[in-house]
Amino acid sequence: MHVVATAGHVDHGKSTLVRALTGMEPDRLAEERRRGLTIELGYAWTALPSGERVAFVDVPGHERFLGTMLAGVGPVPAVMFVVAADEGWMPQSEEHLVAVRTLGVRHGLLAVTRADLADPAPALEDARDRLAEAGLGGVEALAVSGRTGEGLDGLRAALDRLVAALPAPDPRAPVRLWIDRAFSVRGSGTVVTGTLPAGRVQVGDELELDGEPVRVRGLESLKEHVESVAGVARVALNLRGRIAPQRGHALVTPGAWTATSLADVRVTMAEGARGPLPARLTAHIGSASVPCEVRPLGAEAEGAAARLRLARPLPLHVGDALLLRDPGRGQGEPRVLARATVLDVRPPELRRRGAARERAKALADASADAASLLRTHLLLRDGELVAMGCPPEGRPVAAGWHADPDHWSGLSARLPEVVRRYAAEHPLEPGMPVEAARHELGLPDRRLVTALVRPPLTVTDGRITTTGRVVTGTAGLPAPVARAVRALLDDLATAPFQAPEAGRLAALGLGPRELAAAVRAGALLRVAEGIVLGPGADARAAALLARLPQPFTVSQARSALGTSRRVAVPLLEHLDRRGLTERVDEVHRRCRPAG
Ligand SMILES: Nc1nc2c(ncn2[C@@H]2O[C@H](COP(=O)(O)OP(=O)(O)OP(=O)(O)O)[C@@H](O)[C@H]2O)c(=O)[nH]1
Ligand SMILES: [Mg+2]
């Protein structure tokens, strides 16, 4: 099946033509018949000469119903553009053409109808030129009359050629069915209808509506019961679930879309519209129309990046196009203002000064693909990329994770340094816990850390170690610092637990930076602020303390270690932290058995 929407100025004969082609009444409302005016979307279908079936979504042409027109055309891949021979090109001919173009509809045909009322040639030529200018140059153009039936056989044949040339949508694509009607049927419950653009719906499927699960109880397409239907198709779904569906909401495959009220977009001004865009507009996609705020991110220019804040979340993919309409403008002024191509459905917060401009720059180079998303988000899970509309392209870096290549190589370069520093600061530990490295690198999953480990690093028992330990000692330090540290180590050789006093450190030129470097290099052990000892002093202290009767007091420890309270108290606390000693009560500690 195929679906074609009508388009064109009010009263130009769209509904008459649909009626003549299908034998069905697209104007179902009493008010429509009384006023001779389409108000709501109409649906009718027929079989073409080839046997292919085509369903029409007949839209209103009156300028007041532009929103309804957009809801009809939104999910449909092709249009039948209708122009009256006796009136020619009119304001809504132009507006509908701009809308069709802005929505990205590229397929269609031109029917110049009411050919029984006037010579169709001038209107046909003019309209054909305008369509060509709008990038629809290849469409067929025909003169017809919905009243006399003249030219209808030719139109049917042209529709056959049109639908045969339409790209076949992917039946495995995720479902997003924009609802255009919702009603209750006595005995069946809730029914919704819409144009399924791609993917497949089956009886029994579980879909989601605004995050709520719904079950497809029954399925109809063109009034026939079916078990399964693939897009493009008109469908009616009988649903079970605690839901109140409405036009403009969508039934979606769970997990396949990102429901968001925030999107970063690239704005392309519509034909005839000029910037800057007003801050408050209405965004249209599928059958949805949602008020939105537009925040330009960079310098305002055509093709500029902007952030849209939608009044309610919509299920979106990167690459979707939204049409931005000014609901406030009057007659004669352009109302279809721009196309907003979605570049990110989970845009990062812009907190710092200058963040918006930076973001605009990044978006200027972005395309609707996984690589661009990863440049912003750095790391994303398979499922996240799928829900954003950009299934992963490359291989995952770790179970289910994809990374921006630059970010990943940066992490890979940082890890050995992080592990080395940890080893220097924790000389008694057998390596850096993977969890500590995860935390240090700001990663969301430990498996990412494991994936970053390359020789000479290895993982054993949840810790990262360097095969062939790199402790540079004083050799890695600047010469004056190395000299000073060696002097300290000489002092400590005779009294290993008498940490140097502040005066001694100052005399040797060892300030906080020099001490930190020495600690990082593994040349000194930092026990507490301003208290340094030789490397391994804590292990030696623990060994000495183990010989004391257990438990022991600070003062017993102090004399066993031959030091002062100034050092003993922080050293014992350090040993507690390392798990080498533990407190028994307010005054007593004991050594803990190794392991
Ligand atoms: N003579 C003649 N009249 C036509 C033809 N097509 C439509 N009309 C008349 O033109 C008027 C408008 O026709 P519709 O089919 O309702 O026009 P429409 O484009 O659907 O109008 P809206 O849906 O309100 O935009 C009606 O009075 C039709 O009878 C035609 O081919 N020949
Ligand atoms: Mg009509």
Side-chain angles (χ1 to χ4, degrees), residues 247-302:
R247 169 177 292 175
H249 293 243
L251 288 162
V252 296
T253 303
W257 300 86
T258 302
T260 181
S261 48
L262 216 54
D264 280 355
V265 299
R266 177 174 298 133
V267 174
T268 317
M269 295 306 289
E271 192 60 34
R274 243 170 303 130
L277 287 177
R280 278 162 212 283
L281 291 170
T282 303
H284 293 262
I285 181 170
S287 62
S289 74
V290 178
C292 71
E293 281 173 33
V294 185
R295 172 181 175 190
L297 293 176
E300 276 183 42
E302 197 162 308

Side-chain angles (χ1 to χ4, degrees), residues 359-495:
R359 181 70 179 141
K361 248 191 244 148
L363 289 171
D365 299 326
S367 40
D369 55 26
S372 286
L373 284 175
L374 285 167
R375 260 198 296 286
T376 300
H377 298 272
L378 307 177
L379 285 161
L380 289 168
R381 271 181 259 253
D382 275 325
E384 292 175 300
L385 279 165
V386 166
M388 294 167 99
C390 300
E393 290 147 11
R395 285 163 50 85
V397 294
W401 283 100
H402 295 264
D404 173 61
D406 285 349
H407 181 61
W408 191 247
S409 49
L411 288 169
S412 174
R414 269 178 67 202
L415 183 64
E417 167 60 18
V418 163
V419 170
R420 202 186 57 71
R421 201 162 64 214
Y422 188 93
E425 285 165 4
H426 305 81
L428 285 182
E429 289 189 25
M432 183 175 201
V434 172
E435 173 59 19
R438 184 198 68 73
H439 189 259
E440 185 71 21
L441 294 174
L443 293 174
D445 189 328
R446 257 179 257 172
R447 287 173 299 182
L448 290 165
V449 179
T450 320
L452 284 167
V453 171
R454 304 240 157 69
L457 298 182
T458 51
V459 181
T460 4
D461 297 336
R463 286 178 184 263
I464 310 168
T465 50
T466 310
T467 45
R469 209 171 146 69
V470 193
V471 174
T472 57
T474 53
L477 296 171
V481 180
R483 252 196 315 278
V485 169
R486 277 197 297 273
L488 272 193
L489 292 172
D490 282 348
D491 298 351
L492 289 164
T494 44

Side-chain angles (χ1 to χ4, degrees), residues 8-17 19 27 36-39 58-62 82 113-117 144-148:
H9 195 70
V10 63
D11 260 355
H12 272 200
K14 297 180 289 298
S15 302
T16 303
L17 205 50
R19 199 178 296 122
D27 287 334
L37 187 80
T38 301
I39 296 168
D58 183 36
V59 308
H62 194 284
V82 177
T113 188
R114 313 210 321 180
D116 57 304
L117 295 179
V144 295
S145 166
R147 169 126 343 142
T148 67

